[in-house]
Structure formats: C-alpha cells, structure tokens
Amino acid sequence: MTHRHDLSQLSWRLSGWTPYLWRLARSMETGAVSAAEILPIPARVPGSVQGALRDAGLIPDWEVGLQARECEWVENRHWIYEADLPDEWLAAGHGLRLHCLGLDYVGVVMVNGKEIAGFEGSLTPHTFDLTPYLAGSGNRLQIAFLCPPRWLGQFGYTSLMTEWKPRFNYTWDWVARLVQCGVWDGIHLEVTDGQELRDLRCRTDVDEAGGLLWVRGIAGGGDARARVSLAREGEVLRQQEVAAVELAAGVAWDGLPVERWFPNGHGAQPLYTVRVSLLDAEGVVQDEAERRVGFRSVEWRPCEGAPREADPWICAVNGLPLFLQGVNWSPIRPNFADVTEEQYRERLMLYRDLGCNLLRVWGGAALEKQLFYDLCDELGLLVWQELPLSSSGIDNWPPEDEGSIEDIERIARSYVARRQHHASLLLWCGGNELQGNLEGERVGMGKPIDGTHPMMARVARVIAQEDPGRRFVPSSSSGPRFGASAEEFGRGLHWDVHGPWLMWGSLEEWDEYWRGDDALFRSETGSPGASGVDIIERYRGECEGLPCSHENPLWRRTAWWIEAPVFVAEHGREPESLEEYVAWSQERQARALRIAAQACKGRFPRCGGFLVWMGHDCFPCASNTAIVDYWGRPKPAALALAEVFLSEAPRQE
C-alpha cells in the first residue's frame, strides 16, 4: 500500500548561511545553528526564501521604490529549510521517498544532518530515496539551497543559457531583479511497500461515435490488478480491470458517451474523472491516482488566402473554426512560489470575463503549477505552453550542444507527462523569440528558427512520441518573418509574427498599418499604458511621481515603456500632474490595442488570432504593456479589448 503525506502541513524553519559554513558546522541539531547569519525563522512550504525574509522583517518590500536592490544579497547566501518528520508517518520496513515538484534551483537534501543527495534544476521534479537514512523516530529533514546562477536575465546570449532556472526574475523589461530561491511547488513524503501506481498518463479525443480515451501507467505489485474508470459527477460511465502489468501497454476506449469541451465563449466545459485503482488479490485498493479530462477535437486549417506553403493558423475545436484571442501569460509575481490559489483564480476569471480563449505561457518563466491548468480547464481557457527558452538580445539562438539538447528533451518529457491530460492544453512551443538574422546567421533578428534546429528537432520527436496529435511549433513567433513590416505586406511572409509594441506616429498612421496587415497570426502585440495613480503613489517610495521620464529612477525601472516625449509632442508641454499623464497614457493604450485587435479579428478567417503582450503586471511598474495592473484590475485597454473579444468574429464560409 502507498501513502502520500503533504509536507506543507509541517512547521518549517529557514536559516541563512555564509556559503558552505553550514558544512563546516557539522552539528546541525535543531536550534544549534549559532554560526548561521540568519537564525531560524518560520517559513512556508511551498514558499520562497524572499517571502519568508520579508514576512520576518529582514528584507524590505522589493515592490517599493528602488528597494529591490537591497534584496539582492539574498542570492549570495545559502539557505536551509528544515522540518521534523512525524514518527507516525514512517511505517517500518516501507520504502520512503521525498518527492519535490519544484526546487529553485540547486542544493542538497539532508536527513538528520547527513547529506544524502544533490539536486539541480527548477523545472522538473526531484525524488530522493530516504529509506536508508531514517531512524526509528526523531527524524529531521533539511533542504539546503546554494547560490543560484549569477545572470540569466533578459540580455545576453541564448546560446549560452544552459542553466534551467526561470530567467524573468533576473530582470526583464517589466520586473526588477528578485532571483527567487526556495521550494516553489508541492512537496510530499511517499511511503510505500511497492504496491503503487506511477506515471499515470491520459489522452483524449472525440469523433462522431463519441469520446476516445487512452490511459497508461506503471503499476507495481506482482499479481495485482488495475481498475480503470471514467466518471462524471460520481456517475461511472465505463470501467475495466486489467492485470497491473498490462497498464504499461495502455487501455484504449472509444465510443464514450461524453459531452464535448469547448473554449470560453463557444460552449460548456464538461470535465470527467479518470481514476486508476491498484487492487491486491483480495480486491483491496493499494494505491489510486486520478486525472481530470475533457473531450474535444482540435484541427488546424489554412487561413483563407494564405500561401500554399504557409503554416495553418485557423484553429477548429470540435469542427468549429474560432478566432484565438487572449493574452501572453507571465508569472503573477516574481516570487511565484508564494502565489495563492485566490490570486490564480482572480486573474484567470478576469481573462475569461474579458472574452479571452487562449493564454500563451511564455518561455522565460516555468511550467505553471497544476492549479493553473485545472482552472483553465474549468474556465475554457486554452493554453499555448512554451519550453523554458527565450531570446537574449545579443544572440537569440538556442544551444546546440548535446548536453543542453538532452536537458531540454528531459524537460519536455516531464512537461508532457505532467500536463498532457488537460483539455485546455492546445499546443507546445519551443520557446520565445528564438531566431537569427534574415541571412541565415545565428546572430541578429528577423528569421525565427525552424524544425531543422537540432534542439527543436529533438523536441518535435518527443512531442510526436509522447503526445501524438498535439501541435508543436519551434518558436513564437514562428515566421518566416519575426515581425510584420508594412513594406513587406502582400508578399506572403507574415505567418505567425510578433510586434509591434509601441504605437508610432499618429493614430491615423497606426490605423493605416493595421488596415494593411496580412499576418496569419499575431502571437504578441502590445502598447504601453501607465499604472493607476494609486499604484504609482503606493509603490514610489522615496522617488517622485513626476517627471514621467527617463530622468526619474521610478520610471526608469522599466524604461522601455516611457512615452513622455509623445505627450510633449502632442501637447507642447510637460504633463501638469501625474493624473493627467496616467489618463492620457491609459487612453492611448486602449485606442492602440482596440484598433489592432479589431483589425485582426475583422480579417478572420484570413487571420487566425491575436494575443496581447502582456496580460498582467507581476511588479508595480509605473508603465508597462500589461492590460491588467499589479492589483489585478483591468486597465482601460483591457475593457476596450473585451468589447472586441466579446464580439462575434466574421463567419467562415
């Protein structure tokens, strides 16, 4: 029999150390940590080191003014989480494993002061066998985090970014530096006698005869049997028993009497429970696992009038062609380990209410928590999921060494295994803005990578093997041009493109650009808009609210999105107040994005979709391209887009 205990229930403590001093101070008994620089404080698990330190008053609020700079010392220490394991959890003679869904980023696991294993990598789970190291009682678990990589931020060389930790919180153009450290996802103690289920996988589809379901997994237990069932709201629709060893080959059902799952705005989202129970010879359940699934078909069709060789960008769900519309999803906070269920639910329900049907989970971050995909299933929000690769400005070319390719293959397999059962998962993508120049060189910009890149060729094979039927694209944008220039309109070069992110010139010039647009899909388009006056005032600290320019360090934190010169050009003067500038900036953003979205949706089915960069602020930027502010409130741009998103697209003949 197998039991899984949630270690978030325990009382965790966190101490901070001069690097490696804890190894010198071998006596690590509870409370005997006088050599620590930061003596033990309470900590949440999951949770970040920074969150615990802020709660304890040991670092300032990084959201305020320039105080993020005062938090960077945290990266240069070692941090040890520790908790006592309840004796009653440890059944004698059973195998005991520590299973961690997210450790950020590198360190060691210790039991009773003894190092038992190391770990590295934020993006895949880690499992540790504790059995040989546990005493009969009084066991203490410790997880030590070492210093993270020095730099993985927005600028640099993608070809050299080979440490698999989220890059965005090293600074991006929409967040200050806060390099998270800690336990960012679930952590469990598994106690088993070998009678267990592992790696449960589900795929679904639907055809004229009904639902199709594939289930497979690994079951241990000699002559045990596996019972597979499909139910909705407690009513079992189908059930079958097989020998446990046969589960690895899979169980396939068709003709299931199910209702179809539809994206937001096009129908309901019925969900079903797949349960696999491992039974011993007497029929007693030894282990059990569940997956929640939905049944829908997805077909990608050519855009009307597209070049014959162009990628297909009309998405038909259950035979219904639909215009894909939504936002690019970035983490809700830089310390994403501390994001609550309420924060996830509020953001996702807002996007549903704004009329979104697609979220692109951007490649500079991580695979989101299970909760995110569960909520997307419930709300009808399709997910475009990227692997952890992004552009870097100086070079944007993914690594080609075999070690990095093997790392990404392992990450891709893990992503698929954990998320493929979700009805909301629409497609996989290699990463964000991976490209070279138009001459085919590996530096510069203009031409996205394709499936011939050795890393993407490997990932494509993984997706084809592990998640057949689900689309994979090597990069967003996927080209053959990175962006769409008016000079090249009409030449069939703009399939999936990014940009623009700034409204240049007059409103009339902006409108003229979009009336001439021939892109088949817009996976990133944006325009900056200031945060509300109340947010700017709340988080400006010792900085001044004005001027709204590069001279002001408050605005310079995310300096790309300052449009003060445009205001001056339009008005012939500086803004008289912060209120005046914010109102002007937010209205400008709303007008720009409404024009762009309406032009794209109005061309459906010549254009298949429009995604805004970006959805929400994860940091209290004075100005940014987000359409939802730091407190989760829609800016005027979000409301303007909702009018477009909630309108009907032209019908496809």
Side-chain angles (χ1 to χ4, degrees):
M1 188 168 288
T2 298
H3 301 278
R4 294 174 178 86
H5 302 284
D6 183 357
L7 299 190
S8 68
Q9 304 172 30
L10 303 181
S11 296
W12 288 85
R13 303 168 295 278
L14 175 69
S15 56
W17 295 77
T18 300
Y20 300 109
L21 179 58
W22 54 273
R23 276 185 168 145
L24 181 64
R26 285 297 181 183
S27 176
M28 296 291 291
E29 295 300 323
T30 302
V33 288
S34 57
E37 182 175 351
I38 303 298
L39 295 177
I41 59 174
R44 290 185 303 274
V45 169
S48 69
V49 168
Q50 285 89 343
L53 293 174
R54 183 170 66 174
D55 289 347
L58 296 174
I59 58 173
D61 189 342
W62 54 80
E63 302 159 338
V64 174
L66 307 180
Q67 290 181 170
R69 297 174 182 174
E70 300 174 38
C71 301
E72 292 188 24
W73 66 270
V74 175
E75 305 168 34
N76 301 308
R77 303 294 189 275
H78 288 184
W79 299 95
I80 298 178
Y81 287 81
E82 70 172 48
D84 300 315
L85 297 177
D87 291 346
E88 60 269 23
W89 285 4
L90 312 179
H94 287 196
L96 298 114
R97 293 190 302 261
L98 176 67
H99 185 59
C100 305
L101 289 175
L103 300 177
D104 196 8
Y105 154 77
V106 60
V108 297
V109 173
M110 295 177 282
V111 173
N112 300 325
K114 179 180 178 61
E115 294 183 33
I116 66 166
F119 62 87
E120 182 174 334
S122 306
L123 305 169
T124 55
H126 300 276
T127 301
F128 310 94
D129 183 7
L130 306 186
T131 311
Y133 309 102
L134 291 169
S137 64
N139 290 280
R140 188 176 67 260
L141 173 67
Q142 297 162 312
I143 305 176
F145 289 89
L146 312 185
C147 296
R150 186 73 189 96
W151 178 250
L152 295 175
Q154 185 170 12
F155 306 111
Y157 304 83
T158 297
S159 61
L160 302 179
M161 298 285 182
T162 58
E163 292 166 295
W164 307 112
K165 173 175 170 55
R167 293 181 53 185
F168 79 101
N169 51 18
Y170 281 82
T171 70
W172 224 264
D173 57 90
W174 37 270
V175 63
R177 182 178 180 122
L178 190 82
V179 179
Q180 177 178 271
C181 177
V183 182
W184 74 266
D185 206 349
I187 177 169
H188 296 84
L189 180 69
E190 301 175 338
V191 184
T192 181
D193 60 1
Q195 302 276 344
E196 62 176 333
L197 289 167
R198 292 183 289 113
D199 194 27
L200 179 60
R201 308 281 288 275
C202 299
R203 290 190 296 113
T204 65
D205 205 338
V206 66
D207 60 18
E208 297 81 0
L212 298 92
L213 173 67
W214 295 267
V215 180
R216 67 179 174 91
I218 299 173
D223 59 354
R225 297 188 64 77
R227 182 172 62 215
V228 182
S229 66
L230 177 72
R232 183 181 180 193
E233 298 177 352
E235 179 185 356
V236 176
L237 304 179
R238 189 171 297 186
Q239 186 168 288
Q240 179 181 352
E241 285 192 15
V242 298
V245 294
E246 295 177 13
L247 192 61
V251 173
W253 292 340
D254 59 13
L256 295 168
V258 297
E259 297 179 24
R260 298 184 182 218
W261 184 98
F262 281 90
N264 181 36
H266 297 276
Q269 292 81 42
L271 296 169
Y272 298 79
T273 299
V274 176
R275 179 179 290 112
V276 179
S277 305
L278 183 65
L279 311 174
D280 66 13
E282 285 72 43
V284 177
V285 174
Q286 300 298 299
D287 197 7
E288 203 162 57
E290 292 183 356
R291 297 290 184 269
R292 194 172 61 166
V293 301
F295 292 83
R296 84 288 185 276
S297 66
V298 174
E299 178 187 1
W300 292 93
R301 302 174 181 175
C303 291
E304 183 180 290
R308 180 175 299 179
E309 69 276 13
D311 293 335
W313 282 108
I314 297 296
C315 180
V317 178
N318 300 323
L320 175 67
L322 57 98
F323 186 78
L324 295 174
Q325 56 194 21
V327 302
N328 284 268
W329 175 277
S330 55
I332 294 176
R333 292 290 184 265
N335 53 315
F336 56 91
D338 303 309
V339 174
T340 65
E341 178 175 348
E342 180 182 9
Q343 288 174 307
Y344 274 111
R345 192 173 295 276
E346 286 179 350
R347 295 296 186 283
L348 291 169
M349 289 180 67
L350 174 59
Y351 292 134
R352 178 202 60 186
D353 294 345
L354 292 173
C356 297
N357 58 31
L358 176 62
L359 307 175
R360 173 179 165 239
V361 180
W362 170 77
L367 186 75
E368 276 289 354
K369 295 179 182 178
Q370 175 71 30
L371 172 65
F372 170 86
Y373 302 89
D374 286 341
L375 291 172
C376 287
D377 289 344
E378 295 172 13
L379 300 172
L381 296 170
L382 294 165
V383 176
W384 171 320
Q385 179 63 58
E386 299 196 343
L387 294 174
L389 292 163
S390 183
S391 58
S392 303
I394 299 174
D395 99 26
N396 310 297
W397 197 262
E400 293 188 341
D401 63 285
E402 183 59 27
S404 296
I405 292 173
E406 290 176 357
D407 286 344
I408 285 293
E409 177 181 0
R410 176 176 48 84
I411 291 169
R413 290 185 185 278
S414 177
Y415 278 22
V416 171
R418 288 183 280 161
R419 300 292 183 260
Q420 74 176 141
H421 63 279
H422 287 282
S424 55
L425 182 61
L426 180 65
L427 63 84
W428 299 103
C429 177
N432 173 67
E433 297 183 350
L434 308 173
Q435 58 186 308
N437 64 21
L438 293 178
E439 286 69 47
E441 297 172 323
R442 300 179 183 182
V443 295
M445 297 176 60
K447 185 177 181 181
I449 64 167
D450 58 27
T452 63
H453 186 284
M455 181 174 281
M456 294 306 120
R458 184 78 60 86
V459 173
R461 288 198 295 272
V462 169
I463 302 301
Q465 294 166 2
E466 301 295 326
D467 201 10
R470 193 165 266 132
R471 186 175 186 180
F472 170 72
V473 294
S475 174
S476 177
S477 61
S478 55
R481 289 288 191 269
F482 168 70
S485 66
E487 293 75 19
E488 291 187 325
F489 285 166
R491 294 175 56 185
L493 297 172
H494 305 137
W495 303 353
D496 165 36
V497 299
H498 279 193
W501 298 271
L502 287 166
M503 183 170 72
W504 59 86
S506 67
L507 196 66
E508 291 73 24
E509 291 172 301
W510 180 256
D511 184 66
E512 181 181 0
Y513 170 87
W514 288 101
R515 282 190 283 110
D517 181 29
D518 66 347
L520 307 183
F521 198 91
R522 292 270 182 176
S523 51
E524 263 197 41
T525 295
S527 182
S531 290
V533 174
D534 52 356
I535 287 181
I536 295 173
E537 290 290 345
R538 166 64 180 82
Y539 294 105
R540 67 181 177 85
E542 297 181 358
C543 300
E544 298 295 330
L546 291 175
C548 311
S549 68
H550 292 80
E551 287 70 39
N552 186 337
L554 178 73
W555 289 76
R556 200 166 60 242
R557 292 184 309 177
T558 52
W560 288 19
W561 311 117
I562 298 172
E563 294 186 291
V566 181
F567 180 97
V568 172
E570 287 186 8
H571 295 79
R573 59 173 175 81
E574 298 288 336
E576 295 177 352
S577 66
L578 183 60
E579 288 79 3
E580 181 186 30
Y581 182 82
V582 166
W584 170 84
S585 173
Q586 290 189 345
E587 176 60 22
R588 178 179 171 84
Q589 182 189 37
R591 295 169 73 184
L593 291 179
R594 182 201 297 270
I595 288 171
Q598 186 63 66
C600 290
K601 191 165 185 177
R603 290 194 295 112
F604 181 82
R606 301 181 70 83
C607 175
F610 179 89
L611 299 180
V612 178
W613 182 270
M614 52 192 291
H616 46 266
D617 267 327
C618 86
F619 186 78
C621 303
S623 185
N624 182 32
T625 53
I627 62 169
V628 174
D629 71 22
Y630 185 67
W631 290 342
R633 303 174 305 187
K635 294 181 183 178
L639 302 179
L641 283 168
E643 294 180 10
V644 177
F645 288 175
L646 293 171
S647 66
E648 288 193 22
R651 293 187 179 276
Q652 186 174 27
E653 298 298 331

